[in-house]
Amino acid sequence: ARIFHEATQTDKALYSRLVPEIKGKRKFSNIQLRRLQRLGIDKTDPNELTEDEISAFSRLDFNKDSITWNRVLDTNDRYLRKITVGRGDAERGITRQAFFDITVASELMAILALTSGIRDMQERIKRIVVAFSHCGKPITADDLGVTGALTVLMKDTVKPTLMQTIEGSPVLVHAGPF
């Protein structure tokens, strides 16, 4: 969706979607303030950004051929290893090749296996590189603003799962299956 919106909107329209006016005021979220900091912009008032700063903040400049974050399924289907997305009329011809991995091969599963707790998981998720810009700069989950959502989805996975062996003995399993 981000690639589509960057391709079809002006900087001002994109910025208005990312930092909307609510009751006549704009306010940056914590994740947006972290992005500004990574960009070297030390402003905290959304109305003080220059046009260049608005453009830098709003546009990730995805190189769609460099996306490293694949979709995942719990089953291995050879026909879904490589697909073309964006072929619908509403996508306005913005297509790209996409790939599926099995869930256990995903970076989130690796993070789950290594994490020491929810805060550690959130810090690791922030740093996931999902793609690169046309200039070769890494684009992270935090740049996309999805760190909190991913952490909420994964929060219960930190807890071990009680399962049963073939012999009927109880066993605690961590890092899948869910």
Side-chain angles (χ1 to χ4, degrees):
R2 183 66 179 254
I3 295 169
F4 175 81
H5 290 295
E6 285 190 23
T8 60
Q9 294 182 21
T10 65
D11 290 347
K12 187 175 181 178
L14 194 55
Y15 185 69
S16 291
R17 283 180 177 264
L18 293 170
V19 191
E21 275 191 29
I22 299 173
K23 296 182 182 177
K25 294 183 86 174
R26 290 185 196 274
K27 183 179 179 190
F28 288 125
S29 66
N30 289 336
I31 203 164
Q32 291 172 330
L33 290 170
R34 287 196 303 268
R35 174 149 173 75
L36 288 168
Q37 187 178 30
R38 281 192 305 279
L39 291 170
I41 301 171
D42 60 354
K43 297 174 183 170
T44 57
D45 183 350
N47 299 315
E48 292 181 1
L49 268 64
T50 66
E51 286 185 25
D52 288 343
E53 291 169 336
I54 287 172
S55 182
F57 172 80
S58 301
R59 298 200 177 273
L60 297 175
D61 190 32
F62 269 94
N63 177 349
K64 65 182 182 179
D65 296 327
S66 75
I67 294 174
T68 60
W69 187 262
N70 293 336
R71 290 164 163 79
V72 295
L73 287 173
D74 248 353
T75 57
N76 188 8
D77 187 338
R78 296 179 77 83
Y79 288 102
L80 291 177
R81 289 188 180 167
K82 185 176 180 182
I83 63 170
T84 302
V85 296
R87 296 185 59 164
D89 293 338
E91 307 304 321
R92 299 185 192 170
I94 300 172
T95 62
R96 70 176 183 87
Q97 292 293 308
F99 305 89
F100 276 89
D101 288 328
I102 57 173
T103 304
V104 294
S106 72
E107 190 164 356
L108 282 177
M109 283 297 287
I111 287 172
L112 173 62
L114 297 171
T115 195
S116 61
I118 199 79
R119 291 281 169 229
D120 179 50
M121 178 185 285
Q122 188 171 27
E123 287 301 314
R124 290 173 187 266
I125 289 172
K126 273 185 200 176
R127 297 187 304 262
I128 293 173
V129 175
V130 297
F132 291 88
S133 70
H134 285 99
C135 299
K137 293 180 183 176
I139 299 170
T140 65
D142 213 38
D143 289 324
L144 284 173
V146 298
T147 304
L150 286 171
T151 304
V152 167
L153 287 172
M154 295 293 291
K155 72 178 175 57
D156 291 331
T157 63
V158 176
K159 301 171 188 170
T161 303
L162 179 61
M163 300 185 82
Q164 184 175 346
T165 65
I166 293 174
E167 293 84 21
S169 302
V171 61
L172 291 174
V173 177
H174 177 64
F178 303 116

